[in-house]
Amino acid sequence: MGDQLNDLQAVEIEINHACNRSCSYCPNSVEERKTKGRMSRELYQNILENLAEIGFCGRLSYDFYNEPMLHPELNFFVSQSKKILPQTKIHLYSNGTLLSATQFRRLSDSGVDHFTITRHEEDFSEGKNYIFEEVYRDLGPTDKMKVSYRSFQDLHLVNRGGLLKHLGQEGLPLHPCHLPSHMLTVTVDGRILSCFEDFREEQVFGDLKTQKLIDIWQSPPYSRFRRDLKNGLRHLHAPCKNCNRREALPPFDI
C-alpha cells in the first residue's frame, strides 16, 4: 500500500510562496522561504497534465506555508484544474483575509469544492476588521456546507519538522508515517518535496519542469524514502527525524 501512484489521495501545489500573516505556529515566523515567486500558467498546466496521465482524482489544494489568494490567477488555476481533472476535489486552504463575498462566489463557480478557512491569532486583535467573518455570516445554507471555518485555537499544533522548538523539541523515532505514500507536495518552481513539513526543502526527489511524475515517484531514492517512513525509520531523513506529527494515516484532510 502506498507504492503505486494510484494510491495518491492528495496533491498540494504551491502556486505562490508569499503569505500575509506570520503566525507563531508557522515557520514563516522564524525563517524566510528558500524558494520564492509565483507559479506560471505553463508550469501549472504541465503539472495538471502529469496528474491526468496517472488518473488522479483525489484532493487538490494550493498550500505550502503560503496564502494562495495572493496569486492573481487563482481563479484560472481552479478552472483549469476542473477542466483537465474533472473528478478532482479542489480544496482551498486560506486565512480568509482576502476572501470577499465576490471572490468566494467566483472561486466557488470556478470549481472550488471546499473552503477551509482559519482565522489566525493576528485576526483576533481587538478592533481589527476580519473580512471573512461577515462573508461567512451572510452565506446561505448550501454555501456554508462547503466551508470549514475554524479558529487557530482549533488547530493541532506540531513543531513543523523540528523548526518550532516551542511546539516540541523531540521527534518520534520508530513512529510510522504514511504521509509521503499518499500525498505530494509540489513547490512553486515544480519540485517534489518529501512532505509538506519540509519548510527548508531539505529533501527534493524530482523536478516536474524536466521529469515525468511517474518517473520521479518510481525513482529508487523516493521509493526508499517512502518505505523507510512506513517502517518508522524517521531518524534516517531530514526533516522527519525531528518531526513530532503523529497524524500520519489516511484520510488526509489536514
PDB file of all heavy atoms in Angstrom, residues 62-79:
ATOM      1  N   TYR A  62      -3.742  24.233  -2.812  1.00  0.00           N
ATOM      2  CA  TYR A  62      -2.715  25.184  -3.262  1.00  0.00           C
ATOM      3  C   TYR A  62      -1.848  25.693  -2.111  1.00  0.00           C
ATOM      4  O   TYR A  62      -1.485  26.859  -2.071  1.00  0.00           O
ATOM      5  CB  TYR A  62      -3.385  26.370  -3.968  1.00  0.00           C
ATOM      6  CG  TYR A  62      -4.293  25.951  -5.094  1.00  0.00           C
ATOM      7  CD1 TYR A  62      -5.679  25.970  -4.955  1.00  0.00           C
ATOM      8  CD2 TYR A  62      -3.761  25.494  -6.287  1.00  0.00           C
ATOM      9  CE1 TYR A  62      -6.509  25.564  -5.982  1.00  0.00           C
ATOM     10  CE2 TYR A  62      -4.585  25.084  -7.327  1.00  0.00           C
ATOM     11  CZ  TYR A  62      -5.952  25.123  -7.171  1.00  0.00           C
ATOM     12  OH  TYR A  62      -6.760  24.696  -8.188  1.00  0.00           O
ATOM     13  N   ASP A  63      -1.508  24.829  -1.196  1.00  0.00           N
ATOM     14  CA  ASP A  63      -0.868  25.286   0.029  1.00  0.00           C
ATOM     15  C   ASP A  63       0.499  24.678   0.277  1.00  0.00           C
ATOM     16  O   ASP A  63       0.756  23.537  -0.040  1.00  0.00           O
ATOM     17  CB  ASP A  63      -1.769  24.994   1.233  1.00  0.00           C
ATOM     18  CG  ASP A  63      -2.300  23.573   1.225  1.00  0.00           C
ATOM     19  OD1 ASP A  63      -2.788  23.139   0.178  1.00  0.00           O
ATOM     20  OD2 ASP A  63      -2.220  22.885   2.256  1.00  0.00           O
ATOM     21  N   PHE A  64       1.367  25.496   0.827  1.00  0.00           N
ATOM     22  CA  PHE A  64       2.657  25.096   1.401  1.00  0.00           C
ATOM     23  C   PHE A  64       3.227  26.330   2.097  1.00  0.00           C
ATOM     24  O   PHE A  64       4.073  27.021   1.573  1.00  0.00           O
ATOM     25  CB  PHE A  64       3.614  24.579   0.322  1.00  0.00           C
ATOM     26  CG  PHE A  64       4.964  24.139   0.855  1.00  0.00           C
ATOM     27  CD1 PHE A  64       5.052  23.161   1.832  1.00  0.00           C
ATOM     28  CD2 PHE A  64       6.131  24.722   0.396  1.00  0.00           C
ATOM     29  CE1 PHE A  64       6.284  22.754   2.335  1.00  0.00           C
ATOM     30  CE2 PHE A  64       7.381  24.325   0.890  1.00  0.00           C
ATOM     31  CZ  PHE A  64       7.461  23.343   1.850  1.00  0.00           C
ATOM     32  N   TYR A  65       2.699  26.644   3.278  1.00  0.00           N
ATOM     33  CA  TYR A  65       3.130  27.812   4.062  1.00  0.00           C
ATOM     34  C   TYR A  65       2.884  29.115   3.310  1.00  0.00           C
ATOM     35  O   TYR A  65       3.637  30.073   3.455  1.00  0.00           O
ATOM     36  CB  TYR A  65       4.606  27.679   4.463  1.00  0.00           C
ATOM     37  CG  TYR A  65       4.882  26.430   5.250  1.00  0.00           C
ATOM     38  CD1 TYR A  65       5.552  25.356   4.683  1.00  0.00           C
ATOM     39  CD2 TYR A  65       4.436  26.305   6.564  1.00  0.00           C
ATOM     40  CE1 TYR A  65       5.781  24.186   5.407  1.00  0.00           C
ATOM     41  CE2 TYR A  65       4.665  25.151   7.288  1.00  0.00           C
ATOM     42  CZ  TYR A  65       5.340  24.096   6.707  1.00  0.00           C
ATOM     43  OH  TYR A  65       5.550  22.945   7.417  1.00  0.00           O
ATOM     44  N   ASN A  66       1.854  29.174   2.518  1.00  0.00           N
ATOM     45  CA  ASN A  66       1.560  30.370   1.724  1.00  0.00           C
ATOM     46  C   ASN A  66       0.081  30.718   1.848  1.00  0.00           C
ATOM     47  O   ASN A  66      -0.703  29.967   2.407  1.00  0.00           O
ATOM     48  CB  ASN A  66       1.903  30.113   0.252  1.00  0.00           C
ATOM     49  CG  ASN A  66       1.073  28.986  -0.344  1.00  0.00           C
ATOM     50  OD1 ASN A  66       0.845  27.973   0.313  1.00  0.00           O
ATOM     51  ND2 ASN A  66       0.619  29.138  -1.572  1.00  0.00           N
ATOM     52  N   GLU A  67      -0.274  31.857   1.312  1.00  0.00           N
ATOM     53  CA  GLU A  67      -1.673  32.243   1.179  1.00  0.00           C
ATOM     54  C   GLU A  67      -1.996  32.246  -0.318  1.00  0.00           C
ATOM     55  O   GLU A  67      -1.601  33.153  -1.050  1.00  0.00           O
ATOM     56  CB  GLU A  67      -1.929  33.629   1.783  1.00  0.00           C
ATOM     57  CG  GLU A  67      -3.315  34.205   1.517  1.00  0.00           C
ATOM     58  CD  GLU A  67      -4.435  33.233   1.827  1.00  0.00           C
ATOM     59  OE1 GLU A  67      -4.508  32.738   2.976  1.00  0.00           O
ATOM     60  OE2 GLU A  67      -5.243  32.957   0.915  1.00  0.00           O
ATOM     61  N   PRO A  68      -2.705  31.231  -0.803  1.00  0.00           N
ATOM     62  CA  PRO A  68      -2.932  31.095  -2.243  1.00  0.00           C
ATOM     63  C   PRO A  68      -3.709  32.239  -2.874  1.00  0.00           C
ATOM     64  O   PRO A  68      -3.585  32.486  -4.079  1.00  0.00           O
ATOM     65  CB  PRO A  68      -3.683  29.768  -2.363  1.00  0.00           C
ATOM     66  CG  PRO A  68      -4.252  29.516  -1.014  1.00  0.00           C
ATOM     67  CD  PRO A  68      -3.287  30.119  -0.041  1.00  0.00           C
ATOM     68  N   MET A  69      -4.498  32.963  -2.080  1.00  0.00           N
ATOM     69  CA  MET A  69      -5.287  34.039  -2.655  1.00  0.00           C
ATOM     70  C   MET A  69      -4.441  35.245  -3.044  1.00  0.00           C
ATOM     71  O   MET A  69      -4.939  36.176  -3.668  1.00  0.00           O
ATOM     72  CB  MET A  69      -6.407  34.427  -1.697  1.00  0.00           C
ATOM     73  CG  MET A  69      -7.450  33.333  -1.558  1.00  0.00           C
ATOM     74  SD  MET A  69      -9.020  33.933  -0.946  1.00  0.00           S
ATOM     75  CE  MET A  69      -9.484  35.071  -2.234  1.00  0.00           C
ATOM     76  N   LEU A  70      -3.157  35.223  -2.700  1.00  0.00           N
ATOM     77  CA  LEU A  70      -2.256  36.285  -3.150  1.00  0.00           C
ATOM     78  C   LEU A  70      -1.842  36.098  -4.611  1.00  0.00           C
ATOM     79  O   LEU A  70      -1.261  37.006  -5.206  1.00  0.00           O
ATOM     80  CB  LEU A  70      -1.009  36.327  -2.264  1.00  0.00           C
ATOM     81  CG  LEU A  70      -1.219  36.816  -0.833  1.00  0.00           C
ATOM     82  CD1 LEU A  70       0.040  36.589   0.004  1.00  0.00           C
ATOM     83  CD2 LEU A  70      -1.590  38.295  -0.822  1.00  0.00           C
ATOM     84  N   HIS A  71      -2.113  34.931  -5.172  1.00  0.00           N
ATOM     85  CA  HIS A  71      -1.806  34.725  -6.593  1.00  0.00           C
ATOM     86  C   HIS A  71      -2.942  35.315  -7.434  1.00  0.00           C
ATOM     87  O   HIS A  71      -4.105  34.932  -7.269  1.00  0.00           O
ATOM     88  CB  HIS A  71      -1.639  33.245  -6.919  1.00  0.00           C
ATOM     89  CG  HIS A  71      -0.916  32.999  -8.211  1.00  0.00           C
ATOM     90  ND1 HIS A  71      -1.386  33.460  -9.429  1.00  0.00           N
ATOM     91  CD2 HIS A  71       0.249  32.350  -8.491  1.00  0.00           C
ATOM     92  CE1 HIS A  71      -0.554  33.107 -10.397  1.00  0.00           C
ATOM     93  NE2 HIS A  71       0.453  32.430  -9.845  1.00  0.00           N
ATOM     94  N   PRO A  72      -2.642  36.241  -8.347  1.00  0.00           N
ATOM     95  CA  PRO A  72      -3.697  36.907  -9.114  1.00  0.00           C
ATOM     96  C   PRO A  72      -4.439  35.995 -10.088  1.00  0.00           C
ATOM     97  O   PRO A  72      -5.505  36.374 -10.584  1.00  0.00           O
ATOM     98  CB  PRO A  72      -2.943  38.010  -9.862  1.00  0.00           C
ATOM     99  CG  PRO A  72      -1.534  37.531  -9.953  1.00  0.00           C
ATOM    100  CD  PRO A  72      -1.300  36.764  -8.680  1.00  0.00           C
ATOM    101  N   GLU A  73      -3.913  34.803 -10.357  1.00  0.00           N
ATOM    102  CA  GLU A  73      -4.551  33.918 -11.321  1.00  0.00           C
ATOM    103  C   GLU A  73      -5.158  32.674 -10.659  1.00  0.00           C
ATOM    104  O   GLU A  73      -5.347  31.652 -11.311  1.00  0.00           O
ATOM    105  CB  GLU A  73      -3.555  33.504 -12.401  1.00  0.00           C
ATOM    106  CG  GLU A  73      -3.070  34.674 -13.247  1.00  0.00           C
ATOM    107  CD  GLU A  73      -2.321  34.218 -14.481  1.00  0.00           C
ATOM    108  OE1 GLU A  73      -1.170  33.775 -14.313  1.00  0.00           O
ATOM    109  OE2 GLU A  73      -2.884  34.292 -15.589  1.00  0.00           O
ATOM    110  N   LEU A  74      -5.470  32.787  -9.391  1.00  0.00           N
ATOM    111  CA  LEU A  74      -6.033  31.642  -8.672  1.00  0.00           C
ATOM    112  C   LEU A  74      -7.296  31.126  -9.344  1.00  0.00           C
ATOM    113  O   LEU A  74      -7.475  29.906  -9.498  1.00  0.00           O
ATOM    114  CB  LEU A  74      -6.324  32.026  -7.219  1.00  0.00           C
ATOM    115  CG  LEU A  74      -7.016  30.969  -6.360  1.00  0.00           C
ATOM    116  CD1 LEU A  74      -6.188  29.685  -6.287  1.00  0.00           C
ATOM    117  CD2 LEU A  74      -7.284  31.503  -4.959  1.00  0.00           C
ATOM    118  N   ASN A  75      -8.183  32.012  -9.766  1.00  0.00           N
ATOM    119  CA  ASN A  75      -9.424  31.576 -10.409  1.00  0.00           C
ATOM    120  C   ASN A  75      -9.147  30.777 -11.674  1.00  0.00           C
ATOM    121  O   ASN A  75      -9.805  29.772 -11.948  1.00  0.00           O
ATOM    122  CB  ASN A  75     -10.302  32.788 -10.737  1.00  0.00           C
ATOM    123  CG  ASN A  75     -10.981  33.364  -9.517  1.00  0.00           C
ATOM    124  OD1 ASN A  75     -11.808  32.725  -8.890  1.00  0.00           O
ATOM    125  ND2 ASN A  75     -10.611  34.576  -9.168  1.00  0.00           N
ATOM    126  N   PHE A  76      -8.150  31.205 -12.440  1.00  0.00           N
ATOM    127  CA  PHE A  76      -7.778  30.488 -13.658  1.00  0.00           C
ATOM    128  C   PHE A  76      -7.261  29.101 -13.317  1.00  0.00           C
ATOM    129  O   PHE A  76      -7.615  28.110 -13.964  1.00  0.00           O
ATOM    130  CB  PHE A  76      -6.721  31.268 -14.431  1.00  0.00           C
ATOM    131  CG  PHE A  76      -6.135  30.513 -15.591  1.00  0.00           C
ATOM    132  CD1 PHE A  76      -6.829  30.400 -16.784  1.00  0.00           C
ATOM    133  CD2 PHE A  76      -4.899  29.887 -15.476  1.00  0.00           C
ATOM    134  CE1 PHE A  76      -6.304  29.682 -17.852  1.00  0.00           C
ATOM    135  CE2 PHE A  76      -4.359  29.168 -16.532  1.00  0.00           C
ATOM    136  CZ  PHE A  76      -5.070  29.061 -17.728  1.00  0.00           C
ATOM    137  N   PHE A  77      -6.399  29.007 -12.286  1.00  0.00           N
ATOM    138  CA  PHE A  77      -5.846  27.713 -11.896  1.00  0.00           C
ATOM    139  C   PHE A  77      -6.960  26.751 -11.476  1.00  0.00           C
ATOM    140  O   PHE A  77      -6.929  25.563 -11.806  1.00  0.00           O
ATOM    141  CB  PHE A  77      -4.840  27.880 -10.763  1.00  0.00           C
ATOM    142  CG  PHE A  77      -3.535  28.485 -11.186  1.00  0.00           C
ATOM    143  CD1 PHE A  77      -2.641  28.959 -10.250  1.00  0.00           C
ATOM    144  CD2 PHE A  77      -3.188  28.583 -12.518  1.00  0.00           C
ATOM    145  CE1 PHE A  77      -1.420  29.509 -10.627  1.00  0.00           C
ATOM    146  CE2 PHE A  77      -1.979  29.129 -12.918  1.00  0.00           C
ATOM    147  CZ  PHE A  77      -1.088  29.591 -11.969  1.00  0.00           C
ATOM    148  N   VAL A  78      -7.930  27.268 -10.743  1.00  0.00           N
ATOM    149  CA  VAL A  78      -9.039  26.421 -10.302  1.00  0.00           C
ATOM    150  C   VAL A  78      -9.835  25.926 -11.503  1.00  0.00           C
ATOM    151  O   VAL A  78     -10.135  24.728 -11.624  1.00  0.00           O
ATOM    152  CB  VAL A  78      -9.952  27.190  -9.333  1.00  0.00           C
ATOM    153  CG1 VAL A  78     -11.218  26.382  -9.031  1.00  0.00           C
ATOM    154  CG2 VAL A  78      -9.222  27.504  -8.031  1.00  0.00           C
ATOM    155  N   SER A  79     -10.184  26.821 -12.407  1.00  0.00           N
ATOM    156  CA  SER A  79     -10.989  26.425 -13.558  1.00  0.00           C
ATOM    157  C   SER A  79     -10.238  25.449 -14.458  1.00  0.00           C
ATOM    158  O   SER A  79     -10.832  24.505 -14.994  1.00  0.00           O
ATOM    159  CB  SER A  79     -11.441  27.654 -14.353  1.00  0.00           C
ATOM    160  OG  SER A  79     -10.336  28.380 -14.852  1.00  0.00           O
TER     161      SER A  79
END
